[in-house]
Amino acid sequence: MHVFVTGGTGLIGSAVVAELLGNGHTVLALARSDASALAVKAAGAETLPGGLANLNILRAGAAKADGVIHLAFGNDFSSADAVARAEESAALAALGEELVGSDRPFVTVSGTPYMPGRISTEADPLPTDGPVGGRGRAVMAVLGLASQGVRSTAVRMPRTVHNEGKGGFAGLLTEIACRTRVSGYPGDGAQRWPAVHALDAAVLFRLALELAPAGTSWHAVADEGDAVRDIAAVIGRRLGLPVEAAPQETYGPLGPIFAIDQPSSSTHTREALGWEPTHPSLLEDLERIQP
């Protein structure tokens, strides 16, 4: 397939582009800066200059493609308002409109849902209120395109997508530890965060593009849930810092989310799509953190 990819130079996106190119697909990647364009070209993909606000460019990219993978996502966690705005409803709608009636695949990304008292599964709904509710509503609208001739599907990402010890919630804990000189964790640290290596996640995006039925959701979860204090312990040991509980306010608008026990399963994904993670677990990968 000739695949239009947004967000193709991020931690996940760069791995997805490489995975697609390595398995016989060609890639047209959205590039919002000269640096992004150079990275896309170096990977062996074609570039389309523009950003998510350029809806006509998004439509043009989708029109040229046999399928679309939308990975671009705002990562501004500086305030509660910024977190709430981190969704691309207009961009997703524009891409979807271009694909209506074509039976082409449209793969988008969301997070694994939180289910109180149990491990979440692919059958659980996304949240449509709260700080990430806007993103949930936008993704549900994409899945609704299945009734309009779009093979739409969503790959749900866990709280930490990592590579070389960087990325996701665990990466944020590392950044905060470097700044505060304490490897902290909210609450008692018993809460669990699911995780996946970026290279394993990339394989699932390709499988969803190639195989997933319309209107389906999949979980890119390799580790169902690592206790946050165990994550902090590895970070502290690697950085030579004390490990201790920290006030929830330390983590800004993400504090309430960080404190939640939110394990997740990928049993159905593995059985239905034949996906099997092969890269290091989160705790193994964090051993790559350099002091």
Side-chain angles (χ1 to χ4, degrees):
M1 294 184 202
H2 186 53
V3 188
F4 179 44
V5 177
T6 70
T9 57
L11 178 72
I12 303 170
S14 57
V16 169
V17 169
E19 175 69 19
L20 293 171
L21 294 172
N23 285 272
H25 300 289
T26 58
V27 173
L28 172 66
L30 189 69
R32 64 180 177 180
S33 68
D34 291 342
S36 293
L38 288 173
V40 166
K41 290 176 182 177
E46 180 186 353
T47 63
L48 180 65
L52 289 182
N54 306 121
L55 301 185
N56 287 335
I57 290 176
L58 295 181
R59 294 186 185 99
K64 296 177 182 178
D66 301 310
V68 173
I69 297 180
H70 176 72
L71 295 167
F73 185 66
N75 289 305
D76 182 357
F77 303 120
S78 60
S79 68
D81 286 344
V83 172
R85 288 196 304 270
E87 48 99 358
E88 291 81 37
S89 298
L92 286 167
L95 291 167
E97 288 166 5
E98 189 61 41
L99 299 173
V100 166
S102 69
D103 292 321
R104 285 177 285 170
F106 181 13
V107 185
T108 190
V109 62
S110 67
T112 52
Y114 153 64
M115 301 305 296
R118 66 174 175 84
I119 295 175
S120 70
T121 73
E122 296 87 342
D124 290 318
L126 292 176
T128 54
D129 54 13
V132 294
R135 181 67 177 181
R137 293 190 297 273
V139 171
M140 292 304 296
V142 170
L143 294 178
L145 294 172
S147 64
Q148 299 181 55
V150 181
R151 186 159 64 81
S152 55
T153 186
V155 175
R156 298 172 173 180
M157 308 304 293
R159 299 301 170 264
T160 293
V161 183
H162 58 92
N163 193 355
E164 301 292 330
K166 300 176 182 178
F169 278 13
L172 290 173
L173 287 186
T174 302
E175 293 173 12
I176 294 168
C178 289
R179 186 171 68 248
T180 63
R181 308 311 297 165
V182 172
S183 181
Y185 53 85
D188 64 5
Q191 67 272 32
R192 294 161 292 173
W193 293 349
V196 67
H197 196 286
L199 298 179
D200 287 322
V203 174
L204 181 54
F205 276 99
R206 176 179 59 81
L207 291 173
L209 178 83
E210 296 172 345
L211 304 173
T216 54
S217 297
W218 309 94
H219 279 193
V221 174
D223 311 333
E224 287 193 350
D226 295 306
V228 178
R229 62 170 171 251
D230 292 340
I231 297 171
V234 177
I235 294 169
R237 177 163 49 75
R238 294 298 301 165
L239 296 178
L241 297 174
V243 180
E244 57 190 55
Q248 187 169 291
E249 309 84 70
T250 304
Y251 308 101
L254 290 178
I257 299 174
F258 274 16
I260 295 173
D261 184 49
Q262 44 199 303
S264 189
S265 166
S266 60
T267 300
H268 173 66
T269 297
R270 298 182 193 221
E271 292 175 351
L273 294 182
W275 178 65
E276 192 59 45
T278 61
H279 290 84
S281 69
L282 173 59
L283 296 183
E284 292 169 341
D285 204 20
L286 289 174
E287 297 290 348
R288 298 174 180 266
I289 294 175
Q290 297 301 312

